[in-house]
Amino acid sequence: MRQEDKNKVQKLVMIGVFAALLAVFSQISIPTPTGVPITLQTFAVALCAYVLGWRLGVLAMSVYLALGAVGLPVFSGFGAGFGTFLNVTGGFLWGFLLMALLCGLGAQMEKPVLAIPLGILGMLICHLCGALQFGLLSGNPLLESFLLVSVPYLLKDAISVVLACLAAKAVRLSLKKAKLAGS
């Protein structure tokens, strides 16, 4: 097999592995009265993008979202179907794409010190998307929605981004040692 083909296969496998990882981490879920569960999705999204970079990270996130949209129970609480994107928590799913983009960009920058701030910015944008959709569908004002479905999770999610960034460094190093890190 040519090296170029091998690299393509490795990238496809990594996208699949991280889409599966997103699905597994989404099932680690604690329900809350607001309907927004406490999950490890934020950690998984950040880890995915920090390891894979923005292109492959967004692709893995897209595969995960597409699997859920067509009915595979990959979302938190084994949720599935396109309707999930249209319910009160759907804005967080849309926001994960932007978060993956920013985490991945941070991971690929020459100055790695920017990786965490970009990841935190991505997390905040994700929360904004979630609060906006929650507010629109629940009839709550934006501030009230933000206080209900975002503020209680911000510290946990910020810690998740930092831990994912640190874990990603170890994962990338291991992949490089195993000669599995594509060019």
Side-chain angles (χ1 to χ4, degrees), residues 88 129-142 144-146 149:
V88 291
C129 292
L132 278 170
Q133 187 160 325
F134 183 88
L136 287 172
L137 296 178
S138 68
N140 291 331
L142 179 59
E144 185 178 321
S145 295
F146 191 72
V149 300

Side-chain angles (χ1 to χ4, degrees), residues 9-31:
V9 170
Q10 285 177 346
K11 287 177 182 178
L12 286 172
V13 168
M14 293 299 284
I15 289 167
V17 165
F18 276 91
L21 182 82
L22 285 159
V24 169
F25 276 51
S26 296
Q27 302 319 315
I28 301 169
S29 176
I30 302 169

